[in-house]
């Protein structure tokens, strides 16, 4: 087993991984940038190593600095978390070359799944259902012919990409040429690669993903699904397990397809197979594989009863995974809400500033994976995720109710958050019915505005703010003058 692990990440996921390390009696090294000098993940670690400037390129994305940090601190493994370098095959290789263990899959698995066109071909060969379509086309004539054969609406996607970048829905032939040009441009900008693929557009599909987990001895199982259809601009907001839509038969088929997909790239560690599920005929298709521990892993941990972060570390150290598929079942229902410092009534722009108040909810079945505390600064350098609020209850209905109560008890002042927006989404009758397709949020909540706040809440918020503003340094007051009206407007967000 490892003696010391360096966590090449920040915020809530760095802390989540450090907790797993501590439970396995492994020492932890945090890395940090200028902006993160006083952040929670640095305070939580046994030791901390300074990387450099706040810009990700100078810190959390800098391969040389991270490997140097591991060597300097004597860490024998690196956990990449999610985002940053977690799906960078060169990073995984560089870590191996430095005789440090990368806590994740092999660089070959990462590479094979990184290219969406290549991975799609690989999946077809392995017998995993993929969306009808074509890859490797070049001329507009070929695209036109392909689209006709597939039948409109079609989707053009960046082959190098993923995550919705360089993606265009095309409803009819007259829109095709322009969509190809736009998608190519975006793909070139984002990935330096303008190759596109074209496929049938599954309108009103559900984004359902299967968690897989494997060791280095060829054991690989799935841990059921997460329903992630509540998204805006390819940013997930709410995730849950089980999916309110799947029958036991479809769940089994999807699970088996996911295991097949992962085995085709000799996968080990935690991974996720994304599917698009068409509820009108119960078909599902492979979209992409994420070769990392995902943001939403806690919902699987709760319903499947496993600590994924701990097992990632154990199997990276070479341990055999001691469980079979039949050892797992889904029990109860888990929901996760991502609490962001962003303004839903202003285009979801990140909201930066000092957390004048930050009170997390507590209670049975409530889990908060958080990277912030009262007094911390939210900066513009990184993703504005403040915390993940996860609830677990015996069924979906009680879980929704628990989440609504927990959201009410989550108090954040100083920055605007999406808490009230989330409350509105959860209270919608469509959500109660589980009828949420990938386009639902954008259709129903695009013009959402916060309700007027209650007077006693305004008073308590203002008092909390005043007490904190008085403690602010003179310097900070100069650059960020106290504006009571702004604070009041921000209240309860
Ligand atoms: C699709 C799709 C429907 N049909 N592919 C989005 C990001 C990447 N993981 C693949 N994605 C999708 N691919 C086909 N053939 C639907 C999505 C999709 C989506 C599309 C539009 C708006 C929101 C979405 C959320 C999740 C998935």
């Amino acid at each position: 087993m490892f003696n010391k692990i360096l966590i090449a990440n920040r915020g809530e996921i760095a802390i989540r991984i450090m907790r797993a390390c501590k439970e396995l009696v492994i020492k932890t090294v945090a890395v940090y940038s200028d902006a993160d000098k006083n952040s929670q993940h640095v305070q939580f670690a046994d030791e901390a190593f300074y990387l450099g400037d706040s810009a990700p390129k100078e810190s959390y994305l800098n391969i040389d600095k991270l490997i140097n940090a591991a060597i300097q601190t004597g860490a024998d493994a690196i956990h990449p978390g999610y985002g940053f370098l977690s799906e960078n095959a060169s990073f995984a290789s560089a870590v191996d070359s430095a005789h440090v263990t990368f806590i994740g899959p092999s660089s070959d698995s990462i590479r094979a799944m990184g290219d969406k066109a290549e991975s799609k071909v690989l999946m077809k060969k392995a017998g995993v259902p993929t969306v009808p379509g074509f890859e490797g086309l070049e001329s507009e004539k070929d695209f036109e012919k392909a689209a006709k054969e597939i039948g409109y609406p079609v989707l053009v996607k960046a082959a190098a990409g993923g995550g919705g970048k360089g993606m265009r829905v095309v409803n009819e032939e007259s829109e095709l040429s322009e969509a190809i040009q736009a998608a190519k441009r975006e793909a070139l900008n984002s990935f330096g690669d303008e190759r596109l693929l074209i496929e049938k557009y599954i309108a009103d599909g559900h984004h359902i993903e299967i968690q897989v987990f494997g060791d280095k001895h060829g054991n690989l199982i799935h841990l059921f699904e997460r329903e992630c259809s509540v998204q805006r601009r390819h940013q997930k907001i709410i995730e849950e397990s089980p999916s309110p839509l799947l029958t036991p038969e479809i769940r089994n088929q999807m699970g088996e397809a996911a295991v097949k997909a992962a085995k085709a790239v000799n996968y080990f560690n935690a991974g996720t197979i994304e599917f698009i599920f068409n509820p009108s005929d119960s078909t599902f298709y492979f979209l992409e594989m994420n070769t990392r521990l995902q943001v939403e892993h806690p919902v699987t941990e709760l319903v499947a009863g496993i600590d994924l972060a701990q097992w990632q570390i154990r199997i990276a150290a070479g341990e055999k995974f001691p469980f079979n598929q039949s050892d797992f079942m889904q029990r109860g229902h888990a929901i996760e809400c991502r609490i962001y410092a962003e303004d839903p009534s202003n285009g979801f722009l990140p909201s930066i500033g000092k957390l004048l108040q930050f009170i997390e909810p507590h209670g049975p079945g409530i889990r908060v994976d958080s990277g912030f505390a009262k007094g911390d600064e939210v900066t513009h350098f990184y993703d504005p995720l403040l915390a993940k609020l996860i609830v677990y209850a015996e069924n979906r209905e009680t879980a929704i109710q628990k989440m609504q109560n927990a959201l009410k008890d989550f108090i954040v002042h100083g920055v605007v958050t999406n808490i009230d927006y989330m409350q509105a989404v959860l209270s919608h009758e469509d959500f109660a019915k589980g009828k949420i397709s990938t386009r639902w949020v954008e259709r129903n909540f695009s013009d959402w505005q916060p309700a007027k706040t209650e007077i006693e809440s305004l008073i308590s918020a203002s008092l909390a703010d005043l007490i904190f503003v008085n403690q602010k340094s003179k310097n900070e007051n100069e650059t960020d003058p106290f504006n009571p009206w702004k604070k009041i407007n921000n209240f309860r967000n």
Side-chain angles (χ1 to χ4, degrees):
M1 183 43 80
F2 307 117
N3 172 54
K4 194 189 266 190
I5 295 176
L6 181 143
I7 296 92
N9 215 300
R10 62 182 301 285
E12 70 85 18
I13 193 61
I15 294 172
R16 166 72 189 95
I17 295 157
M18 288 180 207
R19 278 189 211 287
C21 293
K22 290 183 184 191
E23 284 156 11
L24 294 168
V25 202
I26 298 167
K27 294 195 247 344
T28 54
V29 183
V31 290
Y32 65 99
S33 66
D34 284 328
D36 280 341
K37 280 195 295 266
N38 303 311
S39 70
Q40 296 304 308
H41 81 279
V42 171
Q43 294 177 45
F44 196 73
D46 295 316
E47 65 187 288
F49 193 96
Y50 172 72
L51 293 174
D53 204 66
S54 305
K57 275 208 164 88
E58 298 301 323
S59 48
Y60 303 104
L61 283 177
N62 192 305
I63 294 180
D64 292 341
K65 284 185 182 177
L66 287 163
I67 288 174
N68 176 53
I71 291 166
Q72 296 295 317
T73 56
D76 39 17
I78 294 182
H79 195 307
Y82 55 69
F84 294 122
L85 294 168
S86 60
E87 293 181 283
N88 185 312
S90 310
F91 180 56
S93 299
V95 172
D96 287 342
S97 302
H99 305 289
V100 175
T101 305
F102 181 74
I103 302 178
S106 70
S107 56
D108 288 342
S109 300
I110 300 176
R111 209 168 281 120
M113 287 300 188
D115 187 287
K116 302 308 150 197
E118 223 171 282
S119 66
K120 193 175 171 184
V121 172
L122 212 63
M123 291 303 108
K124 269 192 249 184
K125 276 194 195 135
V128 179
T130 56
V131 189
F134 299 88
E135 49 285 322
L137 303 183
E138 285 182 12
S139 75
E140 269 191 30
K141 270 270 162 294
D142 286 348
F143 274 99
E144 215 170 88
K145 223 177 99 201
K148 227 176 230 140
E149 191 175 326
I150 296 162
Y152 288 92
V154 297
L155 196 57
V156 287
K157 288 182 179 176
K165 282 214 183 92
M167 210 170 93
R168 286 286 184 289
V169 179
V170 189
N171 290 303
E172 50 182 275
E173 193 170 301
S174 64
E175 300 168 359
L176 185 63
S177 170
E178 209 179 301
I180 291 170
Q181 295 317 317
K184 269 191 181 169
R185 233 180 298 121
E186 213 172 304
L188 195 60
N189 269 335
S190 305
F191 312 109
D193 181 343
E194 62 171 19
R195 285 176 304 131
L196 299 179
L197 43 101
I198 183 166
E199 57 190 33
K200 180 82 193 162
Y201 176 55
I202 315 294
D204 295 311
H206 282 233
H207 176 129
I208 301 182
E209 57 188 32
I210 301 273
Q211 176 72 52
V212 295
F213 195 86
D215 64 16
K216 294 177 175 174
H217 308 274
N219 302 305
L220 192 132
I221 54 135
H222 74 83
L223 293 160
F224 316 103
E225 81 280 11
R226 293 184 289 260
E227 163 82 55
C228 307
S229 297
V230 184
Q231 314 190 351
R232 45 163 295 286
R233 293 188 217 144
H234 305 293
Q235 173 88 274
K236 293 169 187 164
I237 319 176
I238 301 174
E239 303 102 341
E240 61 181 313
S241 186
S243 162
L245 234 80
L246 291 195
T247 62
E249 290 74 33
I250 304 288
R251 175 171 296 117
N252 272 334
Q253 289 171 21
M254 228 184 234
E256 280 169 20
V259 167
K260 215 190 262 181
K263 282 189 171 168
V265 293
N266 302 313
Y267 200 81
F268 54 79
N269 217 286
T272 299
I273 317 285
E274 267 184 39
F275 293 101
I276 187 92
F277 175 72
N278 188 348
S280 69
D281 60 3
S282 286
T283 52
F284 61 86
Y285 304 101
F286 170 90
L287 284 184
E288 52 191 82
M289 180 172 191
N290 301 313
T291 55
R292 59 169 192 274
L293 185 69
Q294 287 191 251
V295 176
E296 60 271 30
H297 75 277
V299 300
T300 297
E301 295 192 315
L302 293 172
V303 298
I306 179 176
D307 188 317
L308 286 167
Q310 268 195 32
W311 276 106
Q312 278 195 295
I313 296 166
R314 295 180 67 164
I315 74 99
E319 273 189 45
K320 265 194 170 146
F321 191 58
F323 306 113
N324 299 116
Q325 190 66 60
S326 58
D327 290 323
F328 292 98
M329 56 178 273
Q330 285 172 305
R331 188 189 165 117
H333 199 97
I335 306 177
E336 173 178 282
C337 284
R338 300 189 186 186
I339 312 296
Y340 282 103
E342 65 182 16
D343 188 353
S345 58
N346 186 19
F348 293 88
L349 276 174
S351 172
I352 59 172
K354 200 189 201 74
L355 296 175
L356 301 171
Q357 187 58 284
F358 191 80
I359 304 171
E360 297 171 356
H362 296 275
I366 295 175
R367 167 174 167 180
V368 183
D369 283 16
S370 153
F372 285 88
K374 180 173 168 175
D376 286 352
E377 220 37 83
V378 183
T379 72
H380 64 270
F381 292 108
Y382 315 110
D383 186 76
L385 179 73
L386 293 177
K388 303 184 310 205
L389 172 57
I390 310 112
V391 300
Y392 178 64
E394 56 266 36
N395 58 45
R396 189 167 190 268
E397 199 182 335
T398 51
I400 293 174
Q401 186 59 54
K402 195 185 280 286
M403 180 60 88
Q404 289 177 319
N405 289 19
L407 283 168
K408 247 180 236 150
D409 290 346
F410 209 137
I411 312 289
V412 182
H413 299 155
V415 298
V416 187
T417 75
N418 64 346
I419 291 174
D420 287 358
Y421 174 85
M422 209 85 86
Q423 194 75 266
V425 173
L426 278 169
S427 311
H428 199 287
E429 58 180 335
D430 289 351
F431 188 84
K433 291 182 199 140
K435 288 188 171 168
I436 309 294
S437 80
T438 49
R439 293 194 292 183
W440 180 81
V441 171
E442 252 131 309
R443 276 186 190 160
N444 290 277
F445 289 89
S446 289
D447 49 9
W448 181 85
Q449 287 294 322
K452 291 266 180 303
T453 50
E454 298 146 36
I455 189 70
E456 58 272 31
S457 312
L458 280 172
I459 292 165
S460 65
S462 306
L463 281 175
D465 288 357
L466 276 171
I467 290 162
F468 257 72
V469 166
N470 284 336
Q471 295 170 358
K472 281 179 131 190
S473 72
K474 189 172 172 285
N475 198 15
E476 273 176 291
N477 271 327
E478 279 165 8
T479 54
D480 182 18
F482 174 51
N483 173 350
W485 302 111
K486 178 158 178 280
K487 301 293 177 202
I488 287 169
N489 285 334
N490 286 356
F491 167 67
R492 275 190 65 192
N493 284 312

